[in-house]
Amino acid sequence: MDNAQLMKGVLEGCVLAVIARGETYGYEILGILESAGFSDLGEGTLYPVLTRLDKAKLIVCRKAKSPLGPVRKYYSITDEGIAQLAAFRARYDAMTKSVNRIFTEGENEHDEL
Amino acid sequence: MMNYETMKTQLTGDFRAVFDKAQTYLMTSQFPTQYQDDKMMELYDLLFTAQTEQKAPEKIVGRDSAAFVQNFFSDYESGWKTRLCSIADACRRMSIVVLVILFIDCMINLNAGTGFFASRTDVSMILAGVLGGIAFLIVNQYILRPASLKSRKIRNTGWAFIGLGLFIVLIPVDVILMHDVELRVPTAALLIVTGAYLVGYYVIRSIWRLKTYGSLRDPQKAEKPDSYYTALPDRDLEHICMKGMLKRYERLARRGKIAEDAFLEKMQREEKMSRYCDYVMIGCLLACTLPSVVKTACESTLFHTLFYIAVTGLCEFGIYKLFSGSLHKASAARMHIYACCKESGMTLPAYLESQMNAQ
């Protein structure tokens, strides 16, 4: 399984978490995700995610002039988005616990052998 | 549509190449204009910010720029509503073209002495145009688009020429194929149908806009006049005007025909003259039309005369707008330069040089 496949499932939740910190824009989200270790985001995967979240009304978008001049899209989270983020965190925690349990059990069995 | 070309001039190197690729991708796609503008604005902001912050293009775009472009536009979903709207809009555009053809046909028939209700129009060429358009879209979608995404050497302008070339080839093929086909329908009926469609389209669109936005104007379009993007073409235009003026001054000065401090006055005088020329052009258009109107009035009925005036007026107004639109814009840019020059207290050549150096 490649990195992109693994990332697909969690990217929406992570983007939502970044936007939940405060109003932000595409370039900034990209930078935060990259510094957190999402290195393969360059190939335009972020923008369809933003559109999906916007269409699902989990985030809202407003257009305003950026300090550099061009009109920029600023994203902020909605109440629905906050609820969805909480649900994602709960699901993600449960899943990582399960995955960790499998890995630990596997390692223990390996040690016993 | 936004001026993508001007946006592109603000980008350099690989950032510019990505923007160029996205532009080519849009050219070979059939996305609605609103979506295109929205996405290109977003892409421009992303690339421009990255460029300003001196970030490596690969960090933003990745290793494969074609994959980036495809991913970037992959969020477009056309539901049945969007498809219906784009079909209705395509029909509107076609109706306008058909209406123009019908008007011309009517004029020819009226001049030939055929009555308005008796005249018939051959729609085989219109049908050929539609079929040619469909063929063009198919070739665009399945051949040009994949090829343009893979290509590294040919840029947007090159693909635009390839597309144009293909279109030019398709027209004679169309005409040859439809040469023996003749489909004559009553002109008046066709006029009523196309006219009714256009009226219906605009009425429904107005009602929908009133219900959705509370206004007859699309607020998404209204955000543009105040935006950064509309200012860009003016800056370009001013730059072109300044370059032209400076060249002209240098030529005149070389021959010893103008003093530096008299150049502004000379240019302003010429500007005034060009306004008079504008009135002269309107006068000439009216003078050329009047005899033919009188001739039609003498030979035809009142209905035919009024119809003739309406069609000729519409055509001449279109021609006038076509030529005067860009001339007025350039004139406004020049007037702005003169005003700024006066404000600076410099002579016009000195002001132009300082501005050109600053850019």
Side-chain angles (χ1 to χ4, degrees):
Chain A
M1 187 192 284
D2 64 4
N3 206 17
Q5 285 285 333
L6 203 63
M7 199 171 67
K8 235 176 203 173
V10 291
L11 189 60
E12 272 192 27
C14 292
V15 172
L16 211 52
V18 173
I19 299 171
R21 295 180 191 179
E23 195 179 59
T24 182
Y25 53 95
Y27 181 79
E28 201 173 54
I29 301 170
L30 205 64
I32 294 170
L33 290 171
E34 242 177 36
S35 58
F38 285 89
S39 53
D40 287 343
L41 272 175
E43 283 168 6
T45 29
L46 172 70
Y47 286 88
V49 171
L50 287 171
T51 313
R52 270 203 301 278
L53 293 174
D54 192 19
K55 275 186 183 163
K57 292 184 177 145
L58 302 179
I59 57 171
V60 280
C61 161
R62 80 176 172 92
K63 286 178 200 164
K65 233 176 176 182
S66 73
L68 291 172
V71 170
R72 178 174 284 167
K73 278 184 176 179
Y74 289 95
Y75 301 95
S76 48
I77 199 159
T78 61
D79 290 341
E80 242 175 277
I82 294 169
Q84 194 68 35
L85 179 62
F88 169 76
R89 280 189 82 150
R91 279 200 307 272
Y92 182 75
D93 284 343
M95 206 173 82
T96 39
K97 268 181 200 163
S98 308
V99 174
N100 281 338
R101 206 172 298 142
I102 287 172
F103 283 162
T104 340
E105 279 169 15
E107 275 166 17
N108 290 343
E109 276 171 25
H110 186 77
D111 289 343
E112 278 168 26
L113 282 171
Chain B
M1 199 161 113
M2 264 182 215
N3 195 332
Y4 301 149
E5 286 304 319
T6 323
M7 283 188 202
K8 207 159 67 183
T9 56
Q10 314 291 308
L11 299 168
T12 53
D14 285 343
F15 291 113
R16 191 176 180 152
V18 174
F19 196 81
D20 197 76
K21 196 155 256 195
Q23 207 184 343
T24 314
Y25 187 80
L26 286 185
M27 212 169 60
T28 51
S29 311
Q30 283 82 49
F31 296 130
T33 319
Q34 192 62 51
Y35 173 80
Q36 287 186 22
D37 285 354
D38 212 41
K39 290 301 281 185
M40 288 304 267
M41 185 189 77
E42 202 169 3
L43 180 64
Y44 174 62
D45 174 46
L46 173 75
L47 299 175
F48 189 65
T49 313
Q51 182 182 278
T52 313
E53 292 186 5
Q54 293 178 331
K55 204 160 185 174
E58 305 87 59
K59 285 267 174 198
I60 302 294
V61 180
R63 273 154 290 184
D64 186 356
S65 61
F68 172 84
V69 169
Q70 267 177 317
N71 278 334
F72 192 77
F73 291 104
S74 66
D75 57 356
Y76 180 70
E77 286 165 18
S78 57
W80 68 270
K81 267 187 192 171
T82 322
R83 279 185 196 187
L84 195 72
C85 285
S86 64
I87 291 170
D89 193 49
C91 290
R92 174 186 67 95
R93 284 163 202 253
M94 206 175 73
S95 297
I96 293 170
V97 175
V98 170
L99 216 59
V100 172
I101 294 169
L102 289 177
F103 273 133
I104 295 167
D105 222 32
C106 267
M107 296 284 289
I108 295 165
N109 285 331
L110 287 180
N111 284 342
T114 321
F116 176 68
F117 292 103
S119 68
R120 294 175 85 83
T121 301
D122 182 12
V123 289
S124 60
M125 282 303 145
I126 296 172
L127 199 68
V130 174
L131 292 175
I134 293 169
F136 180 70
L137 288 182
I138 293 169
V139 174
N140 223 359
Q141 178 100 7
Y142 296 104
I143 299 172
L144 286 188
R145 190 153 89 170
S148 69
L149 273 173
K150 277 182 200 164
S151 160
R152 284 179 190 276
K153 284 181 185 167
I154 308 172
R155 293 232 156 155
N156 178 50
T157 330
W159 287 107
F161 275 111
I162 293 171
L164 189 71
L166 182 78
F167 195 69
I168 289 168
V169 168
L170 274 170
I171 295 169
V173 170
D174 254 11
V175 173
I176 292 163
L177 285 176
M178 297 298 278
H179 187 252
D180 296 327
V181 183
E182 201 180 286
L183 285 166
R184 289 205 168 269
V185 291
T187 313
L190 212 56
L191 256 175
I192 291 165
V193 170
T194 12
Y197 176 77
L198 283 174
V199 171
Y201 177 91
Y202 287 117
V203 167
I204 293 170
R205 194 178 73 173
S206 306
I207 294 169
W208 181 78
R209 278 188 182 172
L210 268 176
K211 271 190 168 179
T212 319
Y213 308 124
S215 150
L216 284 176
R217 294 190 72 184
D218 187 347
Q220 284 171 308
K221 278 184 186 169
E223 78 188 17
K224 279 182 204 165
D226 189 37
S227 78
Y228 166 81
Y229 307 102
T230 42
L232 288 178
D234 291 339
R235 270 198 263 163
D236 272 6
L237 191 61
E238 276 190 16
H239 178 81
I240 294 165
C241 289
M242 282 196 252
K243 213 169 152 185
M245 280 184 219
L246 206 59
K247 243 184 181 175
R248 179 135 187 249
Y249 170 73
E250 281 164 358
R251 209 171 41 235
L252 288 171
R254 243 194 334 264
R255 290 179 197 159
K257 285 188 175 174
I258 192 102
E260 194 179 332
D261 51 355
F263 189 54
L264 175 65
E265 204 184 318
K266 179 183 168 58
M267 293 306 284
Q268 278 179 318
R269 217 172 31 240
E270 280 185 11
E271 203 63 54
K272 219 173 180 180
M273 275 303 287
S274 78
R275 288 214 180 141
Y276 290 131
C277 287
D278 208 26
Y279 298 130
V280 171
M281 185 181 161
I282 298 170
C284 283
L285 271 174
L286 288 174
C288 289
T289 321
L290 212 60
S292 69
V293 172
V294 173
K295 187 177 173 278
T296 315
C298 293
E299 290 171 357
S300 315
T301 59
L302 180 66
F303 174 74
H304 285 171
T305 313
L306 289 175
F307 185 71
Y308 182 83
I309 293 170
V311 175
T312 321
L314 206 71
C315 292
E316 284 184 356
F317 180 71
I319 294 167
Y320 172 72
K321 281 298 270 182
L322 191 76
F323 286 106
S324 67
S326 50
L327 289 177
H328 284 171
K329 227 175 159 186
S331 172
R334 283 194 298 268
M335 293 300 278
H336 184 242
I337 295 168
Y338 303 149
C340 292
C341 172
K342 268 189 176 173
E343 216 172 274
S344 70
M346 287 191 249
T347 62
L348 186 57
Y351 173 77
L352 293 174
E353 221 155 294
S354 71
Q355 289 297 309
M356 296 289 280
N357 289 336
Q359 281 175 11

